[in-house]
Amino acid sequence: AEFKAAMDLMRRLPPKLIETSLSNTLALVPDLVDDLLSSVDQPLKVMKCPETNKEFILCDYNRDGDSYRSPWTNKYSPPLDDGIVPPDELRRMELTANEAFNRYRELYYEGGVSSCYAWEIDGGFACAVAVLKTAGPAAMPLPEGEDPRRTTVSSGGWNAMHVVEGQVGADSKCKYKLTSTVTLTLDSEAKGMASKSDLSGSLSRSMEKEKTFDPRDPASHVANFGELIEEMEGRLRDALYEVYFGKTRQVVSSMRSADDERRAAQHNLMAEMMARKK
């Protein structure tokens, strides 16, 4: 009952304050530390690989104790002698996935950081694909001649975590189960303007699909679940746009219409009423 109540509370609190909210909740129910830490999606963080100087994402799927495994070198930082690493076959798939999603990130996000981590499960494998894109604060004060509407977003972030489970079956077929969570945060504030807004939210969706793979090439799984992730991200983006931006526009329009025809009709009505008074 306590765990269910805590999860309900986490879902209702602002996603951008999830770390503070989780810390406060754990202080109230310390017995649920392990359960909550493994169930609540926290903001993704980035670290540089000591050997390659490349950035990678920190999450539960590459953590062992207080150390995190780099997908580039397969080594932990801080160093860990007995850290868990994927077997050779999954490691080759992991490298292929990191290369593929690095290109995917450049095409779709034009920046940010992505990381993939694979591990064994009963009857198959699992792979986590994390993508993080953040936007820094806009320059203040606004440059001369700059349209304020183009510089109101002071900071923002897109956190995407996709977890794929592959159950390998007969006849070179594999059943993929994808669970995706996306968290969006947008802060808007500009000097000289009275407006300030904070928009944040998260969505989780899942899907399953069976596909044929090449048993001689474990990396063929990457192409299969990569298609699922691409499709899922498109769905989540459209859903976020509709739920948050579409609903916001609907509320604003219900308070004050910007429709030219409706405004013209109101103007004509007012003019007619004034003429009658005369």
Side-chain angles (χ1 to χ4, degrees):
E2 287 185 344
F3 176 73
K4 183 178 179 181
M7 290 300 296
D8 287 342
L9 180 63
M10 290 294 101
R11 281 190 287 267
R12 285 164 172 76
L13 292 172
K16 66 174 297 183
L17 301 177
I18 194 66
E19 289 182 295
T20 302
S21 302
L22 181 59
S23 177
N24 293 337
T25 303
L26 292 176
L28 294 174
V29 282
D31 294 340
L32 300 179
V33 170
D34 292 337
D35 293 333
L36 287 176
L37 289 178
S38 62
S39 302
V40 177
D41 293 308
Q42 300 184 59
L44 301 174
K45 297 181 179 180
V46 175
M47 178 180 182
K48 277 193 175 182
C49 177
E51 292 190 17
T52 64
N53 207 33
K54 292 182 179 180
E55 292 183 324
F56 65 94
I57 292 177
L58 311 182
C59 61
D60 285 339
Y61 302 104
N62 69 325
R63 180 173 63 88
D64 192 339
D66 295 326
S67 300
Y68 292 88
R69 182 172 64 88
S70 167
W72 311 115
T73 62
N74 207 28
K75 297 179 181 178
Y76 281 86
S77 181
L80 195 63
D81 295 332
D82 56 348
I84 301 174
V85 296
D88 293 341
E89 188 175 356
L90 280 183
R91 174 59 181 162
R92 288 195 296 270
M93 187 190 76
E94 184 181 79
L95 288 171
T96 302
N98 275 284
E99 293 174 2
F101 279 96
N102 193 44
R103 293 192 294 269
Y104 171 89
R105 173 188 53 79
E106 287 292 343
L107 288 172
Y108 281 90
Y109 291 84
E110 298 182 353
V113 184
S114 64
S115 296
C116 304
Y117 306 104
W119 66 95
E120 286 184 303
I121 61 174
D122 292 338
F125 69 92
C127 184
V129 179
V131 183
L132 172 64
K133 174 69 180 291
T134 57
M140 297 295 179
L142 304 181
E144 185 177 354
E146 184 73 25
D147 185 352
R149 292 173 297 179
R150 296 177 57 86
T151 55
T152 54
V153 176
S154 56
S155 63
W158 174 282
N159 288 249
M161 176 61 75
H162 309 277
V163 180
V164 182
E165 294 182 4
Q167 294 292 333
V168 179
D171 301 327
S172 300
K173 291 186 177 181
C174 181
K175 186 175 182 180
Y176 303 94
K177 179 181 179 181
L178 171 65
T179 303
S180 301
T181 301
V182 168
T183 302
L184 173 70
T185 59
L186 288 175
D187 293 328
S188 173
E189 182 179 10
K191 288 184 178 180
M193 300 177 66
S195 61
K196 179 180 179 181
S197 64
D198 174 7
L199 178 66
S200 61
S202 63
L203 283 178
S204 295
R205 296 289 186 272
S206 62
M207 65 185 298
E208 294 184 13
K209 189 170 290 188
E210 188 175 65
K211 287 178 172 288
T212 303
F213 71 99
D214 185 356
R216 297 166 298 179
D217 182 16
S220 63
H221 289 295
V222 177
N224 287 341
F225 66 71
E227 292 180 3
L228 301 184
I229 290 175
E230 183 179 21
E231 179 184 345
M232 179 63 80
E233 282 214 330
R235 292 183 184 179
L236 290 172
R237 181 189 179 280
D238 292 343
L240 282 168
Y241 183 86
E242 181 63 30
V243 171
Y244 294 99
F245 297 99
K247 188 63 177 180
T248 300
R249 185 167 57 248
Q250 180 183 350
V251 171
V252 172
S253 297
S254 67
M255 292 187 293
R256 183 177 179 86
S257 175
D259 183 77
D260 292 337
E261 293 183 0
R262 184 175 178 180
R263 205 171 355 177
Q266 291 174 343
H267 178 76
N268 293 336
L269 179 60
M270 291 296 295
E272 184 180 345
M273 292 175 64
M274 293 298 294
R276 290 181 179 178
K277 287 184 178 181
K278 293 180 181 180

